[in-house]
Amino acid sequence: MTMFESRVLRRALIALAVSLVAACAAPGPKVVTAPGAVFYPALPDAPRIQHLTTIMSDRDVNAADSSLAKFVLGDDQNVQRLKQPYGVAMYEGKLYVADSRASGLAVFDFVQHRFTLLSGVGNGRMQRPINVRIDADGTKYVTDTGRDQVLVYDGSDRFQYAYGADGEFKPVDTVISGERLYVVDIKHHQVVVLDKRTGKPQFKFGTAGSERGELFHPTNIAVGPDGDVYVVDTSNFRVQRFTAEGKLVRIYGDLGAEVGKFVRPKGIAIDRSGRLYVGDSAFENVQIFDNDGRLLLYFGQPGAGAEGLNLPAGVSIDYKNVELFRRYADPRFAIDYLIFVVSQFGPNKVDVYGFGKMNGMSYPPDAKSVTTQAANTNTAR
């Protein structure tokens, strides 16, 4: 698909989604909000998501200069900037961003107001980190496409292990489920399941192809509250859902310009209610589906504004650090959890959104619904 065709599809998706919001969402009471606040759906409809802020450099945590980060992340002598981030994870007040061009994890500490660069030393030195996952005890699993390994660091950011022998796989993302580490192998079009503590392979599933259950250039992965594994099957323009043992459950989406379809899906996250958040680097937005595959809402759009996305990649959800970002929210908007969306290019790098409700407005009674938008659209097969 050419760049022109991608832009045409993207504009068609945006136009259709906007018209659906206008047609389907019930108007609420007039709400006075802070100037420049961006909501999805837009007021006067009852919003579920607000764009809170964008993280681009050490200034976003008021960090002191670091000579190492200054050298790696940017030419400006006073600012350490993200270069080409992809994955993101939040843990105990720290935002870890896998920056492939910085050869490390950019760490934004919103509690201590410090910025550091975790690049590793010796056998633990990163080359091209793409994604990062953090376990409950703080253990970090970094997929490095320069080394073709999964690098493991403990809760104090000290290197522990490197999983993957020469030529074994080309990992681009991982997800933790119990004692298992699911690793997306983009080269062999499969998912490899490891013991998370030893790196010992347990089994694998997926094979190259476009039939049901087959994968072609899988990129990102998530585990739902039901324990099922959701794999972004990028070159097949869909998300496939498997059991924990690798048996196909269902398929979400297909190639197309309509809402609920994909052109270049990448990032994925699943909230506690089982809603899927799927980023598309061609449409430059994130679409939200319920667990049955019905499209609920989309948010984000291309552009250079405060909420503009440019080749979005990683998507992450966090429930534990809401208080650190609540000051960015409209006073009447109550945030339940945070959504982080990473752009690989453009001025914005990590956009932070809040999911919640506007006080004083009416919402559907179903706790799993986001809005009435496209309520009858079923993209699952």
Side-chain angles (χ1 to χ4, degrees):
M1 177 174 292
T2 66
M3 182 64 70
F4 175 76
E5 290 170 330
S6 292
R7 291 184 182 277
V8 170
L9 286 172
R10 180 172 41 199
R11 289 171 183 151
L13 175 66
I14 292 170
L16 182 56
V18 169
S19 66
L20 282 170
V21 171
C24 298
K30 184 176 180 180
V31 177
V32 178
T33 62
V38 177
F39 294 99
Y40 303 91
L43 296 170
D45 299 316
R48 296 310 306 264
I49 293 174
Q50 181 182 355
H51 181 268
L52 302 178
T53 187
T54 298
I55 299 167
M56 298 177 286
S57 73
D58 67 328
R59 289 181 175 175
D60 295 307
V61 287
N62 299 317
D65 287 348
S66 162
S67 58
L68 174 61
K70 182 188 306 179
F71 173 77
V72 176
L73 290 179
D75 296 326
D76 191 311
Q77 61 178 352
N78 297 315
V79 181
Q80 296 90 56
R81 306 179 190 278
L82 291 169
K83 285 290 190 178
Q84 192 175 350
Y86 191 109
V88 62
M90 191 97 191
Y91 182 77
E92 293 188 345
K94 295 180 181 180
L95 186 71
Y96 291 79
V97 184
D99 194 331
S100 58
R101 286 181 58 192
S103 301
L105 299 182
V107 185
F108 297 85
D109 188 333
F110 290 92
V111 177
Q112 300 297 326
H113 305 289
R114 293 185 300 187
F115 172 89
T116 56
L117 181 70
L118 171 60
S119 56
V121 295
N123 293 334
R125 183 171 293 279
M126 302 178 207
Q127 293 182 14
R128 188 175 174 80
I130 296 296
N131 264 309
V132 55
R133 296 286 180 167
I134 306 178
D135 209 346
D137 64 357
T139 301
K140 298 155 195 75
Y141 299 87
V142 179
T143 45
D144 192 312
T145 58
R147 295 182 51 161
D148 288 347
Q149 291 180 313
V150 178
L151 307 180
V152 185
Y153 302 83
D154 66 14
S156 299
D157 297 342
R158 294 171 298 202
F159 174 68
Q160 300 296 301
Y161 315 105
Y163 296 161
D166 186 31
E168 182 178 353
F169 48 47
K170 192 175 189 66
V172 290
D173 195 14
T174 63
V175 70
I176 305 159
S177 182
E179 295 302 307
R180 291 175 173 177
L181 184 70
Y182 290 79
V183 181
V184 179
D185 179 2
I186 193 171
K187 181 178 180 180
H188 300 102
H189 313 284
Q190 62 186 1
V191 175
V192 180
V193 184
L194 309 178
D195 182 299
K196 73 176 183 180
R197 301 192 186 279
T198 66
K200 182 179 179 179
Q202 296 186 340
F203 63 95
K204 60 184 70 173
F205 60 90
T207 186
S210 58
E211 299 299 321
R212 295 173 58 85
E214 296 178 338
L215 301 169
F216 197 57
H217 296 136
T219 53
N220 293 71
I221 190 169
V223 170
D226 52 11
D228 284 353
V229 180
Y230 299 71
V231 182
V232 180
D233 192 7
T234 298
S235 290
N236 282 325
F237 319 104
R238 63 193 183 187
V239 173
Q240 297 203 72
R241 175 180 170 188
F242 300 88
T243 66
E245 305 303 320
K247 181 180 179 181
L248 180 67
V249 176
R250 69 182 307 142
I251 297 175
Y252 303 84
D254 201 349
L255 174 64
E258 305 96 321
V259 288
K261 294 183 179 289
F262 305 115
V263 173
R264 202 178 304 145
K266 285 190 176 179
I268 185 171
I270 303 176
D271 67 20
R272 290 174 177 172
S273 296
R275 291 181 288 246
L276 283 67
Y277 294 69
V278 184
D280 195 302
S281 63
F283 291 141
E284 298 187 325
N285 67 5
V286 177
Q287 297 184 79
I288 308 176
F289 302 85
D290 71 10
N291 206 248
D292 294 323
R294 291 182 293 252
L295 178 71
L296 301 173
L297 182 65
Y298 90 97
F299 65 94
Q301 64 274 329
E307 70 284 1
L309 301 178
N310 195 318
L311 293 183
V315 180
S316 178
I317 288 175
D318 178 84
Y319 285 83
K320 297 182 178 180
N321 296 275
V322 171
E323 290 303 320
L324 295 174
F325 295 90
R326 198 179 297 278
R327 64 190 178 95
Y328 297 104
D330 185 278
R332 295 187 58 186
F333 191 72
I335 300 175
D336 295 328
Y337 54 86
L338 303 170
I339 309 164
F340 299 93
V341 182
V342 180
S343 289
Q344 292 181 277
F345 296 97
N348 295 359
K349 298 304 182 186
V350 181
D351 283 287
V352 186
Y353 300 84
F355 182 97
K357 294 181 179 180
M358 186 71 75
N359 294 331
M361 300 190 76
S362 298
Y363 290 86
D366 182 2
K368 293 186 178 182
S369 67
V370 177
T371 179
T372 55
Q373 174 187 334
N376 296 321
T377 300
N378 192 331
T379 60
R381 295 185 292 180

